[in-house]
Amino acid sequence: MNPPKPSLELLRGLTDENVLRALMAHDRLTRAEIATRTGISKPTVSESVQRLEEAGLVADTGERTTGRGRVGSYYALSPRLGTALVASITPHGVVAEAVDALGRTHGRVRTDLGADAGQEAAGRALAAAAEELKGRVGGPLRLAVVSAADPVDRATGRLVHLPDAPFLVGALDPPSVLADAVTGPVLVDNDVNWAARAEYEHGCAQGVDDFVYLHLGEGLGCAVVSDGVVRRGHRGLVGEIAHLCTAGPDGQAMAFTEVFAALGLRRPASTAVDVPKLLEVLEGRDAGADRVRAALARAVGGVLSAAVSLADPETVVVGGTWGAHPRMITAVEEHFRRTPRPVPLGAAVLTLPELTGARARAVDEFRSLVVRSARPAAHG
Amino acid sequence: MNPPKPSLELLRGLTDENVLRALMAHDRLTRAEIATRTGISKPTVSESVQRLEEAGLVADTGERTTGRGRVGSYYALSPRLGTALVASITPHGVVAEAVDALGRTHGRVRTDLGADAGQEAAGRALAAAAEELKGRVGGPLRLAVVSAADPVDRATGRLVHLPDAPFLVGALDPPSVLADAVTGPVLVDNDVNWAARAEYEHGCAQGVDDFVYLHLGEGLGCAVVSDGVVRRGHRGLVGEIAHLCTAGPDGQAMAFTEVFAALGLRRPASTAVDVPKLLEVLEGRDAGADRVRAALARAVGGVLSAAVSLADPETVVVGGTWGAHPRMITAVEEHFRRTPRPVPLGAAVLTLPELTGARARAVDEFRSLVVRSARPAAHG
DNA sequence: TCCTTTGGTGAGGACTCCTAACTTGAAATG
DNA sequence: CATTTCAAGTTAGGAGTCCTCACCAAAGGA
């Protein structure tokens, strides 16, 4: 609402931020290089570097320039800044990494979980992975970004069990599980949203500010990217499409998840999609397989009509264990092309996309944490 | 990506912005009052006021303080800043206003259009209204914000005719129609989006950062507010729900607009909803009316399931000629309450909401235009 | 008439950024 | 090996911005 109050302190903070951002983009720079990169004069940069060195944010690497001219000192972000934790939790296991402010990965821990490991095991694995990484990188974990294969409450970061949706990871509260290992905030979101971010930054939706990412796997979900940001909605449940009203096998209206029940494609005693069986059908050659493929295409088409109406995407990206299957893409596209408002359709291209997206967010968040820590007096 | 470069010019610009924003919030202030309101020191404010007066943005009103102490001079935004045009175009006519940077309305013009006036008449009425207002306020129209009762292309501001959707206002290109009367940018969006903004700022969704506004009138539309902003999507067609797949009268899946065809509630030779007939049914007491009401509630319920899945709203606001009808609200709520993810439902409360929303945007936009004009050298 | 009160101005200081010139020390050059 | 070249970094000085503090001016109240 109100513009910031002008002050010389604000100006100095801006100089420090420029210097820090330069050192986040290039791992080591001399003061003269920082000056040319930022466009700030050499004396001002020198002052700022001195301030930041005293504050412990920047350190002389000990390396020196070689070549003609005076020997220069290379500076870099202090290794004592610590790292950020990135973790992905799926029913199959936990993968965790530590990343620094330059976006470099400093370690990776992987824990496989048995089929019915339960949420306690997942929580323990996450906490253990964090401790392991903390020890390995030898510095504090300043924040964490967690991906979970379930809906996440936006306000608390806890996993949410919605009616008639599979609860793959189970009740888990990452912020409290990680409270001991991580000194700062713990950001949690579901894997589909992180995957969408990854496709936006490095994948097939690069630079597309408005798109929808449809995830079709054991669970059914999607992500909505609007104006370049993954939108989460009030509770963080954007994209939980299990109950979206769509067309069933015989043309009757039903919830998306019910379509799989009607087609006999649910896992026994569960609301999760029976992926092996579904893939078998996708490959099938008989008339029954044709009928199921058509029914799936029609059901997905109903979901897409909703996505087009409510998100107006430039493209739709389809991912997930069976969603990205070529025959599925073809079937959906063929159906979708004949609707009143078709949109280009593409298959997701990244592997482990949720980790990529979470990592990108962790780096962003860690960087602004570091920049903020350079201005202790800023209260706005 | 990169923080702004620190410079003394930036600091000065910030002071000027603080002074201007203070004068936008209170129509006349002395320099001492500006200093206390902004928290900036008196000498600095004095310098800034002098600069802004020389630049023609601020003017001595000639009024003087009364009471104890030295007589102070009241300053205000210069009347030569001009005004912003706000206009709403519906099939029934054109309403236009001029607003200044303080948010005060300076004139209102209303032109009724005959039932089949056509788009040329609408365009002429809009241009005439703009000229009339320009003459009446005696200054330039620096920008325009237009509401139109049809989908609007986000990139060009032109109206779009979607298949099987009524084209109420018709082909119209507000930016070119207003090019002569308005010196600056012309922002166009559809009435539903503006209405949602109005309900967000002054209506029943005040401060609710994530909600969906459903408009049920001759046309069918909705607005999605996410993180406090009306989202428009890639082409500006968020909320064009005519083809959203929902449940028909007998439970079969069909496009939302087709439900009205199936119920005989479309206007002859058109895809617009026959509102008088629908209202008659809403009031009806026989079994047929019950059946139609149930069918409408079910169809709207399907749309809401999509809205909940893809936007995760905190509340849903229903407006429009028949959508806000008490019996409609009741019927929809009764149905919606029994779904897996119900959300509080409310009726829209504002009259002429699209004008209110467009006016709010016009004031915002005009204010930042004025602030920008105080920093001629800012290139970022 | 004198005191109080308040808007506005002036002087001076602290601070930030910049340009320009200078210092430094190693590599290139002869 | 002496000299030149070159680039990193420092120093000096100046311009500009904001602030505090003191002061002035003028109207109202005592």
Side-chain angles (χ1 to χ4, degrees), chain B residues 8 11-12 15 39-44 47 51 67-71:
Chain B
L8 294 171
L11 221 52
R12 195 186 34 188
T15 302
I40 297 172
S41 73
K42 286 195 290 174
T44 303
E47 258 176 46
R51 262 198 307 271
R68 300 186 74 141
R70 177 172 169 178
V71 175

Side-chain angles (χ1 to χ4, degrees), chain A residues 206-292:
Chain A
Q206 218 164 351
V208 177
D209 279 344
D210 302 275
F211 72 97
V212 164
Y213 180 99
L214 186 61
H215 175 90
L216 303 172
E218 285 190 313
L220 307 166
C222 83
V224 176
V225 174
S226 192
D227 296 325
V229 176
V230 175
R231 300 294 162 188
R232 301 184 62 187
H234 175 55
R235 290 206 293 160
L237 302 181
V238 161
E240 297 305 326
I241 52 176
H243 290 102
L244 208 163
C245 172
T246 185
D250 298 318
Q252 67 279 44
M254 60 171 64
F256 193 31
T257 182
E258 297 301 331
V259 175
F260 299 87
L263 292 171
L265 292 175
R266 270 200 191 164
R267 286 218 312 246
S270 160
T271 48
V273 173
D274 189 338
V275 176
K277 195 165 172 189
L278 197 155
L279 287 173
E280 200 176 300
V281 170
L282 272 186
E283 306 283 357
R285 300 203 160 274
D286 56 355
D290 279 344
R291 204 181 57 85
V292 174

Side-chain angles (χ1 to χ4, degrees), chain A residues 8 11-12 15 39-44 47 67-71:
Chain A
L8 294 171
L11 221 52
R12 194 186 36 190
T15 302
I40 297 172
S41 71
K42 286 196 289 174
T44 304
E47 258 177 45
R68 300 186 73 143
R70 175 174 172 180
V71 175

